[in-house]
Protein backbone atom coordinates (compact mmCIF):
# COMPACT_ATOMS: atom_id res chain seq x y z
CA UNK A 1 0.00 0.00 0.00
CA UNK A 2 2.95 2.37 -0.06
CA UNK A 3 2.97 4.92 -2.84
CA UNK A 4 4.93 7.97 -3.95
CA UNK A 5 4.56 10.90 -6.32
CA UNK A 6 7.59 12.59 -7.80
CA UNK A 7 7.94 15.37 -10.32
CA UNK A 8 10.71 17.48 -11.81
CA UNK A 9 10.45 20.49 -14.07
CA UNK A 10 13.14 22.60 -15.67
CA UNK A 11 12.48 26.14 -16.80
CA UNK A 12 14.47 28.75 -18.64
CA UNK A 13 13.91 32.22 -19.97
CA UNK A 14 16.67 33.00 -22.41
CA UNK A 15 19.03 35.78 -21.33
CA UNK A 16 17.09 36.08 -18.05
CA UNK A 17 17.05 33.09 -15.67
CA UNK A 18 16.86 29.31 -15.42
CA UNK A 19 16.19 26.74 -12.75
CA UNK A 20 15.00 23.30 -11.69
CA UNK A 21 12.14 22.41 -9.33
CA UNK A 22 11.61 18.92 -7.92
CA UNK A 23 9.01 17.61 -5.48
CA UNK A 24 8.77 14.17 -3.87
CA UNK A 25 5.98 12.93 -1.61
CA UNK A 26 5.81 9.39 -0.20
CA UNK A 27 3.14 7.60 1.84
CA UNK A 28 4.89 4.71 3.58
CA UNK A 29 3.04 1.73 5.04
CA UNK A 30 4.89 -0.59 7.43
CA UNK A 31 3.62 -3.97 8.64
CA UNK A 32 0.10 -5.32 8.25
CA UNK A 33 -3.15 -3.79 9.36
CA UNK A 34 -4.18 -5.27 12.70
CA UNK A 35 -0.65 -6.15 13.78
CA UNK A 36 1.31 -4.27 16.39
CA UNK A 37 3.99 -3.24 13.90
CA UNK A 38 1.53 -1.51 11.58
CA UNK A 39 2.24 2.14 10.89
CA UNK A 40 1.82 4.82 8.25
CA UNK A 41 4.05 7.82 7.83
CA UNK A 42 4.76 10.38 5.17
CA UNK A 43 7.99 11.80 3.81
CA UNK A 44 8.51 14.72 1.48
CA UNK A 45 11.32 16.68 -0.11
CA UNK A 46 11.48 19.89 -2.14
CA UNK A 47 14.51 20.87 -4.19
CA UNK A 48 14.77 24.16 -6.08
CA UNK A 49 17.69 25.76 -7.85
CA UNK A 50 17.38 29.13 -9.51
CA UNK A 51 20.00 31.38 -11.08
CA UNK A 52 19.81 34.67 -12.92
CA UNK A 53 21.70 35.92 -15.92
CA UNK A 54 23.84 38.89 -14.77
CA UNK A 55 22.89 40.81 -17.91
CA UNK A 56 19.15 40.48 -17.25
CA UNK A 57 19.00 43.23 -14.60
CA UNK A 58 22.30 44.85 -13.54
CA UNK A 59 20.57 46.48 -10.55
CA UNK A 60 19.09 43.31 -9.02
CA UNK A 61 20.20 39.73 -8.46
CA UNK A 62 18.21 36.73 -7.27
CA UNK A 63 19.33 33.17 -6.58
CA UNK A 64 17.99 30.14 -4.74
CA UNK A 65 19.37 26.77 -3.68
CA UNK A 66 16.76 24.94 -1.62
CA UNK A 67 16.79 21.40 -0.24
CA UNK A 68 14.03 21.08 2.33
CA UNK A 69 11.89 18.21 3.58
CA UNK A 70 11.42 15.48 6.15
CA UNK A 71 14.50 14.67 8.21
CA UNK A 72 14.17 10.95 7.47
CA UNK A 73 13.30 11.39 3.80
CA UNK A 74 16.44 9.86 2.32
CA UNK A 75 16.34 6.92 4.73
CA UNK A 76 12.62 6.21 4.79
CA UNK A 77 11.55 6.60 1.19
CA UNK A 78 11.78 3.68 -1.23
CA UNK A 79 13.75 5.44 -3.89
CA UNK A 80 16.93 3.98 -5.35
CA UNK A 81 17.71 7.34 -6.94
CA UNK A 82 18.78 8.57 -3.49
CA UNK A 83 21.15 5.80 -2.51
CA UNK A 84 24.12 8.15 -2.81
CA UNK A 85 22.46 10.53 -0.34
CA UNK A 86 21.51 7.90 2.23
CA UNK A 87 24.24 9.09 4.60
CA UNK A 88 23.49 12.78 4.08
CA UNK A 89 23.13 14.29 7.57
CA UNK A 90 22.43 17.92 6.66
CA UNK A 91 19.94 19.57 4.33
CA UNK A 92 20.85 23.17 3.50
CA UNK A 93 18.84 25.90 1.79
CA UNK A 94 19.55 29.49 0.89
CA UNK A 95 17.74 32.24 -1.02
CA UNK A 96 19.20 35.69 -1.62
CA UNK A 97 18.04 38.88 -3.28
CA UNK A 98 19.82 42.21 -3.71
CA UNK A 99 18.66 45.44 -5.29
CA UNK A 100 20.14 48.87 -5.85
CA UNK A 101 18.29 51.82 -7.27
CA UNK A 102 19.84 53.99 -9.95
CA UNK A 103 20.18 57.67 -9.06
CA UNK A 104 19.52 56.71 -5.44
CA UNK A 105 21.88 56.15 -2.50
CA UNK A 106 19.86 53.18 -1.22
CA UNK A 107 20.49 49.48 -1.69
CA UNK A 108 18.69 46.44 -0.28
CA UNK A 109 19.88 42.92 0.51
CA UNK A 110 17.58 40.10 1.65
CA UNK A 111 18.32 36.47 2.43
CA UNK A 112 16.80 33.33 3.91
CA UNK A 113 18.83 30.36 5.13
CA UNK A 114 17.96 27.04 6.67
CA UNK A 115 19.71 23.86 7.79
CA UNK A 116 18.19 20.56 8.89
CA UNK A 117 20.11 17.95 10.83
CA UNK A 118 18.69 14.56 9.89
CA UNK A 119 20.17 12.92 12.99
CA UNK A 120 18.95 15.32 15.68
CA UNK A 121 15.93 16.44 13.59
CA UNK A 122 16.63 20.03 14.57
CA UNK A 123 15.90 22.76 12.03
CA UNK A 124 17.69 26.11 12.19
CA UNK A 125 16.19 28.93 10.16
CA UNK A 126 17.27 32.50 9.52
CA UNK A 127 14.48 34.18 7.60
CA UNK A 128 14.20 36.81 6.69
CA UNK A 129 17.46 38.65 7.16
CA UNK A 130 17.70 42.00 5.43
CA UNK A 131 19.85 45.09 5.25
CA UNK A 132 18.91 48.50 3.89
CA UNK A 133 21.89 50.80 3.36
CA UNK A 134 22.23 54.42 2.36
CA UNK A 135 25.49 55.56 0.81
CA UNK A 136 27.33 58.53 2.27
CA UNK A 137 25.51 61.81 1.74
CA UNK A 138 26.75 65.39 2.12
CA UNK A 139 23.61 67.42 2.92
CA UNK A 140 25.43 70.78 3.23
CA UNK A 141 27.60 70.51 0.13
CA UNK A 142 26.80 72.07 -3.22
CA UNK A 143 26.57 69.49 -5.97
CA UNK A 144 29.33 69.83 -8.54
CA UNK A 145 31.54 72.03 -6.36
CA UNK A 146 34.50 71.03 -4.17
CA UNK A 147 33.87 70.73 -0.44
CA UNK A 148 35.96 73.40 1.29
CA UNK A 149 34.50 73.90 4.79
CA UNK A 150 33.92 71.48 7.63
CA UNK A 151 30.17 71.99 7.22
CA UNK A 152 30.29 70.93 3.60
CA UNK A 153 32.38 67.89 4.59
CA UNK A 154 29.74 66.51 6.95
CA UNK A 155 28.86 63.06 5.66
CA UNK A 156 25.94 60.95 6.87
CA UNK A 157 25.24 57.26 6.26
CA UNK A 158 22.40 55.08 7.45
CA UNK A 159 21.80 51.36 7.69
CA UNK A 160 18.87 49.28 8.87
CA UNK A 161 19.47 45.59 9.55
CA UNK A 162 16.85 43.04 10.54
CA UNK A 163 17.21 39.44 11.63
CA UNK A 164 14.80 36.66 12.49
CA UNK A 165 16.14 33.27 13.54
CA UNK A 166 14.89 30.18 15.31
CA UNK A 167 15.94 26.65 16.14
CA UNK A 168 13.33 23.98 16.77
CA UNK A 169 12.52 20.31 16.09
CA UNK A 170 11.00 19.38 12.74
CA UNK A 171 7.78 18.36 14.46
CA UNK A 172 7.10 21.99 15.46
CA UNK A 173 7.34 23.39 11.95
CA UNK A 174 4.04 25.04 11.05
CA UNK A 175 2.81 25.13 14.66
CA UNK A 176 2.29 28.17 16.90
CA UNK A 177 5.72 27.61 18.47
CA UNK A 178 7.21 28.36 15.07
CA UNK A 179 6.58 32.03 15.90
CA UNK A 180 7.01 32.09 19.69
CA UNK A 181 10.46 30.52 19.54
CA UNK A 182 11.75 33.07 17.02
CA UNK A 183 14.44 35.53 18.05
CA UNK A 184 14.23 38.72 16.04
CA UNK A 185 15.21 42.34 16.09
CA UNK A 186 16.20 45.45 14.16
CA UNK A 187 19.29 47.65 14.34
CA UNK A 188 19.47 51.26 13.17
CA UNK A 189 22.93 52.76 12.68
CA UNK A 190 23.67 56.42 11.82
CA UNK A 191 27.36 57.40 11.53
CA UNK A 192 28.15 61.10 10.95
CA UNK A 193 31.65 62.42 10.25
CA UNK A 194 33.48 65.51 9.02
CA UNK A 195 37.03 66.81 8.68
CA UNK A 196 38.93 70.05 8.16
CA UNK A 197 42.47 71.38 7.94
CA UNK A 198 44.20 73.42 10.63
CA UNK A 199 47.12 75.67 9.67
CA UNK A 200 47.19 73.97 6.24
CA UNK A 201 49.06 70.91 7.54
CA UNK A 202 47.00 69.34 10.33
CA UNK A 203 43.93 67.22 9.62
CA UNK A 204 41.21 67.45 12.25
CA UNK A 205 38.38 64.90 12.12
CA UNK A 206 35.16 64.44 14.08
CA UNK A 207 32.73 61.54 14.03
CA UNK A 208 29.67 60.45 15.97
CA UNK A 209 27.88 57.14 15.78
CA UNK A 210 24.36 56.39 16.97
CA UNK A 211 22.93 52.87 17.22
CA UNK A 212 19.46 51.83 18.26
CA UNK A 213 18.26 48.24 18.61
CA UNK A 214 14.69 46.99 18.64
CA UNK A 215 13.87 43.59 20.08
CA UNK A 216 10.46 41.95 20.26
CA UNK A 217 10.95 39.66 23.24
CA UNK A 218 12.67 39.87 26.58
CA UNK A 219 13.91 37.06 28.80
CA UNK A 220 13.82 37.81 32.52
CA UNK A 221 15.91 35.53 34.72
CA UNK A 222 15.62 34.96 38.45
CA UNK A 223 16.88 32.35 40.88
CA UNK A 224 14.42 30.30 42.89
CA UNK A 225 16.22 29.64 46.16
CA UNK A 226 13.55 27.20 47.35
CA UNK A 227 13.84 24.96 44.30
CA UNK A 228 17.48 25.84 43.65
CA UNK A 229 16.81 26.42 39.92
CA UNK A 230 17.13 29.26 37.46
CA UNK A 231 13.73 30.57 36.34
CA UNK A 232 13.32 32.05 32.86
CA UNK A 233 10.29 34.14 31.99
CA UNK A 234 9.86 35.43 28.42
CA UNK A 235 7.66 38.45 27.73
CA UNK A 236 6.77 39.77 24.28
CA UNK A 237 6.61 43.35 23.12
CA UNK A 238 8.86 46.09 21.79
CA UNK A 239 12.10 46.55 23.73
CA UNK A 240 14.64 49.20 22.75
CA UNK A 241 18.21 50.00 23.64
CA UNK A 242 20.52 52.64 22.24
CA UNK A 243 24.14 53.67 22.40
CA UNK A 244 26.14 56.69 21.35
CA UNK A 245 29.84 57.23 20.74
CA UNK A 246 31.98 60.10 19.52
CA UNK A 247 35.59 60.46 18.47
CA UNK A 248 37.99 63.11 17.21
CA UNK A 249 41.49 63.01 15.91
CA UNK A 250 44.47 65.12 14.90
CA UNK A 251 46.92 63.86 12.32
CA UNK A 252 49.65 65.24 10.11
CA UNK A 253 52.57 64.01 8.05
CA UNK A 254 56.18 65.20 8.41
CA UNK A 255 58.77 64.55 5.73
CA UNK A 256 62.51 64.73 6.25
CA UNK A 257 65.40 64.44 3.78
CA UNK A 258 69.02 63.73 4.61
CA UNK A 259 71.39 64.34 1.70
CA UNK A 260 74.90 62.97 1.46
CA UNK A 261 77.94 64.27 -0.35
CA UNK A 262 77.89 64.29 -4.11
CA UNK A 263 79.20 61.04 -5.51
CA UNK A 264 78.19 58.96 -2.49
CA UNK A 265 76.68 55.51 -3.08
CA UNK A 266 73.52 56.73 -1.33
CA UNK A 267 72.57 60.21 -2.43
CA UNK A 268 69.77 60.82 0.07
CA UNK A 269 67.50 59.20 2.65
CA UNK A 270 63.89 60.29 2.95
CA UNK A 271 61.96 59.58 6.12
CA UNK A 272 58.32 60.08 7.01
CA UNK A 273 56.61 60.54 10.38
CA UNK A 274 52.85 60.48 10.86
CA UNK A 275 52.05 61.66 14.40
CA UNK A 276 48.42 61.41 15.47
CA UNK A 277 46.30 62.03 18.53
CA UNK A 278 42.81 60.60 19.00
CA UNK A 279 40.09 60.86 21.60
CA UNK A 280 37.17 58.44 21.90
CA UNK A 281 34.12 58.83 24.10
CA UNK A 282 31.44 56.19 24.68
CA UNK A 283 29.14 56.97 27.62
CA UNK A 284 27.66 54.05 29.58
Amino acid sequence: GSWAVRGTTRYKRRYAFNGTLSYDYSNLVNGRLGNGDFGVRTAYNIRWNHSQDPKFDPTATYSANVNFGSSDYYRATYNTLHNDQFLNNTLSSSISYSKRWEDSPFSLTMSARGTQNTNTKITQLALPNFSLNMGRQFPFATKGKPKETWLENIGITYSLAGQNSLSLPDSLLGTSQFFTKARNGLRHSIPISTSLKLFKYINLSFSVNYNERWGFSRENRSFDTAQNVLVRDTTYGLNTSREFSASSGLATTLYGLVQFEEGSYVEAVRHVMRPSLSLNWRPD
Side-chain angles (χ1 to χ4, degrees):
S2 297
W3 56 270
V5 176
R6 305 182 182 97
T8 300
T9 180
R10 290 185 293 271
Y11 59 90
K12 179 174 182 178
R13 180 180 176 185
R14 190 161 49 181
Y15 311 124
F17 53 80
N18 64 86
T20 304
L21 176 64
S22 302
Y23 178 77
D24 291 15
Y25 182 87
S26 301
N27 187 79
L28 309 172
V29 178
N30 297 318
R32 291 181 176 274
L33 184 62
N35 294 342
D37 61 347
F38 179 79
V40 179
R41 59 176 173 169
T42 59
Y44 68 94
N45 183 257
I46 299 173
R47 295 176 301 280
W48 178 36
N49 290 280
H50 178 91
S51 60
Q52 177 179 302
D53 191 320
K55 299 185 292 295
F56 175 62
D57 186 354
T59 65
T61 59
Y62 181 76
S63 65
N65 185 8
V66 175
N67 185 3
F68 187 83
S70 306
S71 294
D72 57 351
Y73 170 75
Y74 289 117
R75 303 179 185 182
T77 186
Y78 303 129
N79 189 350
T80 56
L81 296 177
H82 297 149
N83 284 342
D84 58 332
Q85 297 173 316
F86 183 81
L87 298 178
N88 186 14
N89 294 326
T90 304
L91 306 181
S92 300
S93 304
S94 64
I95 301 175
S96 62
Y97 173 80
S98 62
K99 173 69 176 179
R100 60 179 178 84
W101 289 270
E102 296 181 348
D103 301 324
S104 170
F106 290 97
S107 62
L108 174 68
T109 301
M110 301 183 67
S111 67
R113 300 188 307 274
T115 58
Q116 293 176 268
N117 190 305
T118 59
N119 287 332
T120 62
K121 296 187 178 182
I122 296 296
T123 299
Q124 294 182 336
L125 300 174
L127 78 161
N129 290 352
F130 73 91
S131 176
L132 177 66
N133 298 286
M134 182 187 74
R136 194 177 188 189
Q137 300 295 299
F138 299 91
F140 304 105
T142 303
K143 190 174 182 180
K145 294 184 178 180
K147 295 180 283 293
E148 297 178 349
T149 65
W150 68 270
L151 187 63
E152 294 175 332
N153 274 310
I154 293 179
I156 302 175
T157 60
Y158 170 76
S159 66
L160 169 63
Q163 186 178 45
N164 181 71
S165 61
L166 67 160
S167 176
L168 72 173
D170 292 352
S171 58
L172 297 181
L173 290 175
T175 65
S176 59
Q177 295 192 43
F178 181 84
F179 301 97
T180 59
K181 286 184 173 294
R183 299 173 61 89
N184 41 50
L186 300 172
R187 185 188 73 242
H188 306 265
S189 180
I190 307 176
I192 304 174
S193 62
T194 187
S195 63
L196 68 155
K197 279 190 176 296
L198 296 178
F199 312 112
K200 296 183 180 181
Y201 303 110
I202 300 176
N203 295 319
L204 176 62
S205 61
F206 294 97
S207 65
V208 295
N209 191 25
Y210 177 79
N211 291 298
E212 182 166 320
R213 293 175 173 84
W214 295 0
F216 302 99
S217 65
R218 178 191 295 270
E219 184 179 84
N220 302 308
R221 300 183 182 185
S222 60
F223 191 77
D224 188 343
T225 55
Q227 301 293 329
N228 198 32
V229 294
L230 180 67
V231 180
R232 292 181 172 89
D233 180 30
T234 301
T235 57
Y236 298 94
L238 178 63
N239 300 280
T240 63
S241 65
R242 53 198 57 83
E243 62 183 14
F244 171 83
S245 63
S247 63
S248 62
L250 288 170
T252 189
T253 303
L254 303 176
Y255 300 93
L257 187 66
V258 178
Q259 291 183 323
F260 298 94
E261 296 181 358
E262 187 176 354
S264 299
Y265 181 75
V266 178
E267 295 184 1
V269 174
R270 180 176 184 244
H271 51 278
V272 181
M273 293 186 295
R274 294 185 174 90
S276 63
L277 175 66
S278 62
L279 175 66
N280 298 280
W281 179 53
R282 185 176 178 179
D284 194 19

